[in-house]
Amino acid sequence: MPVIEVEHLHKRYGDKIAVDDVSFTVEQGEIFGVLGPNGAGKTTTVECVQGLRRADGGTVRVLGLDPIRDRAEVRQRVGAQLQESQLPDKLRVREALDLYRSFYRQRADIDELLADLGLTDQRNTAFHKLSGGQKQRLSVALALVGRPEIAILDELTTGLDPQGRRDTWDLVERIRDRGVTVLLVTHFMEEAERLCDRLAIIDTGRVVAIDTPSGLLSRVGTEHRVHFRALDAVDDALLAALPGVTGVRRTGDEITVTGPEEVLQTLLATLAEQKVRYAGLRVEQPTLDDAFVSLTGRAARTTTSPSTDERPS
Ligand code: ATP
């Protein structure tokens, strides 16, 4: 039985339709991603799953329960991250964990949790003295302190540096390895690709596709792009005639050859044979960004790195 079932969810704020028609199911033990650009309706969807908002249409079941009617039971069994700065400044890490732990029937071992999240040295640090990454890790710890069956993590790496993001991704994998089902909201393509077993791409309140990351990628084809600079003369026609090559393009002194994955090997063999030296070789594979563009027919407003993470105010 799926642990989360969302069917034809519809939610409005006044005249504004935040979630038009969203359906998906999450199986026990998977990391399921809800991916989409800002304003797509991701947070509203998971807030309905948590019982924080009442749907205007459709049904939501979590562990077989109704998140509104059975809110108290759902809260016991589903851990959710706090939005930032929902803790008093002076509260220390260990105190926050002790307090939240007291709300639950099932209680995690706090020392173990602190060690797992790399917060042991900060256990006596006040909330306002924590770095952004430490605050994020504390919010994940608070989501896990009641030993939940499902953890809902919303934009958990926004604002983290690349190392912080990678550490957090490892942590999410460890959470899943303990048997916790993870519902992960993100607008980072790279994060979804790296972590999710399956994901729903949501755009303007509707599900555009639900698949594994590789399933989504296969929908956009397997075309690779090989870029390089030739240090000796090379005939474009010769490259274009190689088996599988679908295009050869020059931009300045860079040559781009497109074709299936095998094209790289054929190309390198030909360059060696023709004694053409090259530099700056790089291969681009299809990404979830390409999948998003192909599925929605327009450019992704999602981002691949926090440095380009311009969130509307
Ligand atoms: P983001 O990645 O920016 O958090 P999201 O995909 O999570 O976006 P939601 O936060 O669910 O999207 O918002 C969906 C739409 O509903 C947006 O247009 C948003 O402006 C609107 N919205 C969200 N919360 C409210 C609210 N409390 N009142 C009115 N409109 C809202």
Side-chain angles (χ1 to χ4, degrees), residues 81-308:
Q81 247 183 311
L82 288 184
Q83 294 301 314
E84 231 215 286
S85 50
Q86 279 185 347
L87 287 175
D89 279 355
K90 299 259 165 61
L91 195 66
R92 296 173 197 277
V93 167
R94 169 100 213 189
E95 290 168 347
L97 286 165
D98 278 334
L99 176 67
Y100 276 73
R101 185 173 179 267
S102 70
F103 301 153
Y104 295 99
R105 289 194 301 260
Q106 302 283 333
R107 296 172 182 179
D109 181 305
I110 292 196
D111 289 329
E112 216 175 86
L113 203 53
L114 285 169
D116 245 10
L117 284 135
L119 286 170
T120 304
D121 291 346
Q122 283 73 41
R123 64 185 174 282
N124 292 319
T125 306
F127 180 69
H128 73 116
K129 294 223 171 116
L130 296 175
S131 71
Q134 289 163 348
K135 281 183 181 163
Q136 283 285 38
R137 295 208 295 276
L138 175 59
S139 76
V140 176
L142 291 171
L144 298 177
V145 76
R147 300 177 71 91
E149 290 159 66
I150 301 172
I152 299 182
L153 307 174
D154 192 345
E155 303 289 1
L156 83 166
T157 61
T158 298
L160 296 189
D161 61 24
Q163 184 59 47
R165 266 194 307 154
R166 274 192 292 275
D167 291 346
T168 310
W169 292 343
D170 290 343
L171 172 68
V172 174
E173 282 171 340
R174 289 205 302 278
I175 296 170
R176 188 262 307 274
D177 293 346
R178 291 177 180 177
V180 179
T181 305
V182 178
L183 181 61
L184 180 81
V185 177
T186 185
H187 67 291
F188 292 142
M189 295 289 185
E190 194 189 343
E191 182 163 294
E193 206 166 337
R194 152 80 199 268
L195 278 182
C196 297
D197 297 308
R198 288 190 309 131
L199 52 108
I201 295 188
I202 296 191
D203 188 29
T204 56
R206 288 176 160 266
V207 174
V208 180
I210 298 182
D211 210 334
T212 58
S214 59
L216 288 168
L217 291 177
S218 69
R219 298 190 195 194
V220 288
T222 52
E223 191 108 306
H224 284 54
R225 291 182 289 274
V226 185
H227 307 272
F228 64 99
R229 280 179 292 114
L231 303 178
D232 301 298
V234 58
D235 182 2
D236 287 5
L238 175 78
L239 301 180
L242 294 176
V245 168
T246 54
V248 175
R249 193 163 43 92
R250 283 188 189 251
T251 316
D253 60 355
E254 188 174 77
I255 302 177
T256 303
V257 177
T258 46
E261 195 170 4
E262 307 77 68
V263 95
L264 175 66
Q265 232 175 346
T266 323
L267 173 69
L268 293 185
T270 306
L271 294 178
E273 215 174 84
Q274 301 288 318
K275 301 201 170 16
V276 175
R277 291 165 304 152
Y278 56 85
L281 181 84
R282 67 198 160 86
V283 182
E284 274 183 297
Q285 306 178 12
T287 63
L288 279 184
D289 269 310
D290 299 322
F292 186 90
V293 173
S294 140
L295 289 164
T296 62
R298 60 190 178 74
R301 277 171 289 137
T302 52
T303 55
T304 51
S305 75
S307 57
T308 52

Side-chain angles (χ1 to χ4, degrees), residues 11-19 34-47 53 83 154-155 158 185-187 202-205 309 311-313:
K11 175 72 192 167
R12 282 185 303 271
Y13 298 108
D15 290 343
K16 167 86 198 163
I17 297 176
V19 177
V34 176
L35 176 79
N38 293 134
K42 306 180 296 293
T43 298
T44 303
T45 299
V46 299
E47 285 176 347
R53 293 197 188 278
Q83 294 301 314
D154 192 345
E155 303 289 1
T158 298
V185 177
T186 185
H187 67 291
I202 296 191
D203 188 29
T204 56
D309 176 22
R311 291 170 68 81
S313 55

Side-chain angles (χ1 to χ4, degrees), residues 54-82:
R54 189 184 291 273
D56 293 313
T59 54
V60 180
R61 284 280 174 281
V62 179
L63 301 164
L65 302 163
D66 176 332
I68 295 288
R69 203 187 53 218
D70 309 312
R71 189 177 306 184
E73 183 64 14
V74 167
R75 290 233 172 129
Q76 283 292 327
R77 296 168 65 185
V78 177
Q81 247 183 311
L82 288 184

